[in-house]
Amino acid sequence: MNPEVYLIIVTLSCLAVFIASIMINTGRIKTELSVAVKQDISSEEMRQAEEKVSRFLEKNHLKPGTHISIIGQALNIRINDMEERIPGQAHLGNPDENGIMTVTFRRGLSQQERTFAFAHECGHIINEDTVPIDRPEGRHKAYVEQAADYVAAALLMPLDQIYAFLVERDYHGASPRKRMKLVRGLCRTYGVDNIIALRRIREVYTLKEA
Protein backbone atom coordinates (compact mmCIF):
# COMPACT_ATOMS: atom_id res chain seq x y z
CA MET A 1 0.00 0.00 0.00
CA ASN A 2 1.15 3.50 -0.80
CA PRO A 3 2.64 5.06 2.40
CA GLU A 4 0.68 8.26 1.86
CA VAL A 5 -2.61 6.34 1.49
CA TYR A 6 -1.77 4.30 4.60
CA LEU A 7 -1.07 7.49 6.57
CA ILE A 8 -4.39 8.99 5.45
CA ILE A 9 -6.26 5.84 6.54
CA VAL A 10 -4.57 5.82 9.95
CA THR A 11 -5.25 9.52 10.42
CA LEU A 12 -8.93 9.15 9.52
CA SER A 13 -9.26 6.14 11.82
CA CYS A 14 -7.75 8.08 14.73
CA LEU A 15 -10.03 11.02 13.99
CA ALA A 16 -13.08 8.76 13.95
CA VAL A 17 -12.10 7.25 17.32
CA PHE A 18 -11.55 10.75 18.74
CA ILE A 19 -14.96 12.00 17.53
CA ALA A 20 -16.69 8.88 18.87
CA SER A 21 -15.00 9.38 22.23
CA ILE A 22 -16.19 13.01 22.40
CA MET A 23 -19.76 11.97 21.54
CA ILE A 24 -19.75 9.23 24.19
CA ASN A 25 -18.32 11.53 26.86
CA THR A 26 -20.75 14.32 25.92
CA GLY A 27 -23.66 11.91 26.27
CA ARG A 28 -22.36 10.74 29.64
CA ILE A 29 -21.94 14.32 30.87
CA LYS A 30 -25.48 15.21 29.75
CA THR A 31 -26.84 12.13 31.55
CA GLU A 32 -24.94 12.96 34.75
CA LEU A 33 -26.11 16.58 34.57
CA SER A 34 -29.72 15.50 34.09
CA VAL A 35 -29.48 13.27 37.18
CA ALA A 36 -27.83 16.02 39.24
CA VAL A 37 -30.45 18.60 38.27
CA LYS A 38 -33.41 16.28 38.88
CA GLN A 39 -35.32 17.01 42.09
CA ASP A 40 -36.92 13.98 43.71
CA ILE A 41 -39.95 15.74 45.15
CA SER A 42 -43.32 16.19 43.51
CA SER A 43 -44.76 19.42 42.14
CA GLU A 44 -47.33 19.43 44.96
CA GLU A 45 -44.55 19.13 47.52
CA MET A 46 -42.79 22.01 45.77
CA ARG A 47 -45.92 24.16 46.08
CA GLN A 48 -46.23 23.32 49.76
CA ALA A 49 -42.58 24.25 50.31
CA GLU A 50 -43.07 27.58 48.53
CA GLU A 51 -46.06 28.33 50.77
CA LYS A 52 -44.01 27.42 53.84
CA VAL A 53 -41.22 29.79 52.78
CA SER A 54 -43.75 32.57 52.11
CA ARG A 55 -45.30 32.15 55.56
CA PHE A 56 -41.88 32.22 57.21
CA LEU A 57 -40.85 35.40 55.40
CA GLU A 58 -44.15 37.12 56.12
CA LYS A 59 -44.05 36.15 59.80
CA ASN A 60 -40.55 37.62 60.14
CA HIS A 61 -41.28 40.70 58.01
CA LEU A 62 -38.70 39.67 55.42
CA LYS A 63 -38.86 40.12 51.66
CA PRO A 64 -38.18 37.37 49.10
CA GLY A 65 -34.49 37.42 48.26
CA THR A 66 -33.43 38.63 51.72
CA HIS A 67 -29.76 37.73 52.28
CA ILE A 68 -29.39 34.26 53.74
CA SER A 69 -27.36 35.57 56.69
CA ILE A 70 -30.36 37.66 57.80
CA ILE A 71 -32.63 34.64 57.38
CA GLY A 72 -30.19 32.72 59.58
CA GLN A 73 -30.45 35.39 62.25
CA ALA A 74 -34.24 35.12 62.19
CA LEU A 75 -33.87 31.36 62.74
CA ASN A 76 -31.23 31.75 65.49
CA ILE A 77 -28.57 30.11 63.33
CA ARG A 78 -24.99 31.36 63.15
CA ILE A 79 -21.84 30.18 61.39
CA ASN A 80 -19.00 28.52 63.29
CA ASP A 81 -15.80 30.51 62.89
CA MET A 82 -13.78 27.30 62.44
CA GLU A 83 -14.07 24.77 59.62
CA GLU A 84 -13.67 21.13 60.61
CA ARG A 85 -13.18 17.66 59.18
CA ILE A 86 -16.76 16.39 59.03
CA PRO A 87 -18.37 13.67 56.87
CA GLY A 88 -20.83 15.89 55.00
CA GLN A 89 -20.68 19.46 53.78
CA ALA A 90 -22.13 21.00 56.92
CA HIS A 91 -23.33 20.14 60.41
CA LEU A 92 -26.10 21.94 62.32
CA GLY A 93 -25.71 21.52 66.06
CA ASN A 94 -28.18 21.53 68.91
CA PRO A 95 -29.30 24.89 70.32
CA ASP A 96 -27.12 26.29 73.10
CA GLU A 97 -28.43 27.77 76.36
CA ASN A 98 -29.48 30.89 74.42
CA GLY A 99 -31.30 28.91 71.73
CA ILE A 100 -28.58 29.60 69.14
CA MET A 101 -27.69 26.83 66.68
CA THR A 102 -24.32 26.72 64.94
CA VAL A 103 -23.49 25.56 61.42
CA THR A 104 -20.04 24.08 60.96
CA PHE A 105 -18.67 23.68 57.43
CA ARG A 106 -16.29 21.04 56.15
CA ARG A 107 -12.88 22.36 55.27
CA GLY A 108 -12.29 23.35 51.66
CA LEU A 109 -15.82 24.27 50.57
CA SER A 110 -16.18 27.03 47.99
CA GLN A 111 -18.16 30.14 48.86
CA GLN A 112 -21.02 28.90 46.66
CA GLU A 113 -21.05 25.56 48.50
CA ARG A 114 -20.97 27.30 51.88
CA THR A 115 -23.85 29.58 50.90
CA PHE A 116 -26.06 26.72 49.78
CA ALA A 117 -25.09 24.49 52.71
CA PHE A 118 -26.06 27.28 55.13
CA ALA A 119 -29.36 27.82 53.29
CA HIS A 120 -29.91 24.06 53.42
CA GLU A 121 -29.58 24.07 57.21
CA CYS A 122 -32.00 27.00 57.38
CA GLY A 123 -34.33 24.86 55.29
CA HIS A 124 -34.20 22.09 57.89
CA ILE A 125 -35.35 24.49 60.61
CA ILE A 126 -38.12 25.96 58.45
CA ASN A 127 -39.22 22.37 57.74
CA GLU A 128 -39.13 21.71 61.51
CA ASP A 129 -36.66 18.83 61.16
CA THR A 130 -34.90 17.43 64.21
CA VAL A 131 -31.39 18.68 64.99
CA PRO A 132 -28.49 17.99 65.10
CA ILE A 133 -28.35 17.19 61.42
CA ASP A 134 -25.77 16.97 58.62
CA ARG A 135 -25.92 17.91 54.96
CA PRO A 136 -24.64 14.82 53.12
CA GLU A 137 -22.97 14.73 49.73
CA GLY A 138 -23.86 12.67 46.69
CA ARG A 139 -27.11 11.77 44.99
CA HIS A 140 -30.17 9.78 45.98
CA LYS A 141 -30.53 11.64 49.27
CA ALA A 142 -33.32 10.97 51.74
CA TYR A 143 -36.55 12.92 51.26
CA VAL A 144 -35.81 15.16 54.25
CA GLU A 145 -32.58 16.26 52.55
CA GLN A 146 -34.29 16.83 49.19
CA ALA A 147 -36.94 18.93 50.94
CA ALA A 148 -34.29 21.02 52.71
CA ASP A 149 -32.48 21.49 49.40
CA TYR A 150 -35.69 22.75 47.84
CA VAL A 151 -36.34 25.26 50.63
CA ALA A 152 -32.70 26.41 50.40
CA ALA A 153 -33.11 27.13 46.68
CA ALA A 154 -36.44 28.87 47.31
CA LEU A 155 -34.80 31.13 49.91
CA LEU A 156 -31.81 31.98 47.72
CA MET A 157 -33.64 32.22 44.37
CA PRO A 158 -37.23 33.48 44.88
CA LEU A 159 -39.80 31.90 42.59
CA ASP A 160 -41.30 35.08 41.10
CA GLN A 161 -37.93 36.80 40.64
CA ILE A 162 -36.43 33.86 38.76
CA TYR A 163 -39.52 33.38 36.59
CA ALA A 164 -39.55 37.07 35.64
CA PHE A 165 -35.84 36.88 34.77
CA LEU A 166 -36.39 33.83 32.54
CA VAL A 167 -39.47 35.20 30.77
CA GLU A 168 -37.95 38.64 30.11
CA ARG A 169 -34.94 36.98 28.47
CA ASP A 170 -36.94 34.28 26.64
CA TYR A 171 -35.02 31.42 28.25
CA HIS A 172 -37.26 28.83 26.57
CA GLY A 173 -36.58 30.23 23.11
CA ALA A 174 -32.89 30.95 23.64
CA SER A 175 -30.07 29.03 21.99
CA PRO A 176 -28.03 26.62 24.17
CA ARG A 177 -25.18 29.13 24.23
CA LYS A 178 -27.46 31.96 25.40
CA ARG A 179 -29.11 29.69 27.96
CA MET A 180 -25.76 28.91 29.56
CA LYS A 181 -24.96 32.63 29.59
CA LEU A 182 -28.24 33.26 31.42
CA VAL A 183 -27.47 30.45 33.86
CA ARG A 184 -24.07 31.97 34.61
CA GLY A 185 -25.80 35.30 35.21
CA LEU A 186 -28.10 33.68 37.76
CA CYS A 187 -25.09 32.06 39.44
CA ARG A 188 -23.35 35.41 39.83
CA THR A 189 -26.46 37.19 41.06
CA TYR A 190 -27.56 34.60 43.61
CA GLY A 191 -24.22 33.08 44.62
CA VAL A 192 -25.00 29.50 43.57
CA ASP A 193 -23.37 27.00 41.23
CA ASN A 194 -24.60 25.79 37.84
CA ILE A 195 -26.35 22.69 39.20
CA ILE A 196 -28.38 24.68 41.73
CA ALA A 197 -29.30 27.30 39.12
CA LEU A 198 -30.36 24.71 36.53
CA ARG A 199 -32.37 22.79 39.10
CA ARG A 200 -34.11 25.97 40.20
CA ILE A 201 -34.97 26.85 36.61
CA ARG A 202 -36.63 23.46 36.23
CA GLU A 203 -38.52 23.91 39.49
CA VAL A 204 -39.71 27.40 38.58
CA TYR A 205 -41.05 26.29 35.20
CA THR A 206 -42.66 23.24 36.80
CA LEU A 207 -44.64 25.46 39.15
CA LYS A 208 -45.31 28.44 36.91
CA GLU A 209 -46.24 26.59 33.73
CA ALA A 210 -47.90 23.47 35.08
Side-chain angles (χ1 to χ4, degrees):
M1 181 182 293
N2 187 309
E4 292 182 358
V5 174
Y6 176 75
L7 180 60
I8 291 173
I9 292 174
V10 171
T11 300
L12 291 175
S13 298
C14 292
L15 182 60
V17 171
F18 176 71
I19 293 173
S21 175
I22 290 177
M23 292 178 66
I24 291 172
N25 287 332
T26 299
R28 184 181 298 115
I29 290 171
K30 286 182 177 179
T31 299
E32 291 177 353
L33 180 61
S34 177
V35 171
V37 169
K38 183 177 182 292
Q39 184 70 293
D40 292 330
I41 65 175
S42 69
S43 58
E44 179 57 31
E45 289 165 336
M46 290 181 191
R47 279 190 286 271
Q48 292 173 1
E50 293 289 344
E51 291 172 1
K52 190 178 296 184
V53 168
S54 294
R55 288 195 300 271
F56 162 77
L57 293 175
E58 183 177 354
K59 178 182 177 181
N60 290 277
H61 309 290
L62 301 173
K63 296 180 180 180
T66 295
H67 196 276
I68 194 63
S69 63
I70 297 176
I71 289 173
Q73 291 174 15
L75 293 167
N76 290 327
I77 301 174
R78 68 176 181 85
I79 295 175
N80 189 350
D81 294 333
M82 299 293 292
E83 296 180 337
E84 297 182 7
R85 296 180 182 273
I86 55 178
Q89 284 193 337
H91 172 78
L92 178 63
N94 280 315
D96 63 14
E97 63 275 11
N98 298 313
I100 304 297
M101 294 166 283
T102 302
V103 174
T104 301
F105 296 115
R106 190 189 67 202
R107 291 179 184 175
L109 294 186
S110 68
Q111 185 56 52
Q112 289 177 330
E113 289 171 325
R114 286 168 61 95
T115 296
F116 193 79
F118 185 77
H120 174 93
E121 302 305 342
C122 290
H124 276 302
I125 301 305
I126 290 174
N127 286 339
E128 300 181 342
D129 297 329
T130 303
V131 292
I133 198 164
D134 297 299
R135 179 171 195 261
E137 290 190 293
R139 303 167 185 162
H140 311 300
K141 298 173 186 172
Y143 171 78
V144 67
E145 299 299 332
Q146 292 280 356
D149 272 356
Y150 185 92
V151 172
L155 291 171
L156 294 171
M157 306 179 72
L159 182 71
D160 291 335
Q161 287 183 20
I162 302 303
Y163 186 63
F165 175 93
L166 298 172
V167 171
E168 288 170 5
R169 292 158 181 80
D170 189 23
Y171 181 85
H172 264 333
S175 66
R177 182 187 295 272
K178 184 178 179 182
R179 282 191 179 190
M180 287 313 301
K181 184 178 180 180
L182 294 175
V183 169
R184 288 193 295 270
L186 288 173
C187 292
R188 288 192 299 271
T189 300
Y190 295 96
V192 298
D193 63 24
N194 286 341
I195 296 297
I196 301 303
L198 287 167
R199 181 187 295 170
R200 188 58 177 158
I201 289 170
R202 176 178 289 186
E203 293 165 353
V204 167
Y205 275 126
T206 296
L207 292 178
K208 288 292 191 178
E209 300 189 350

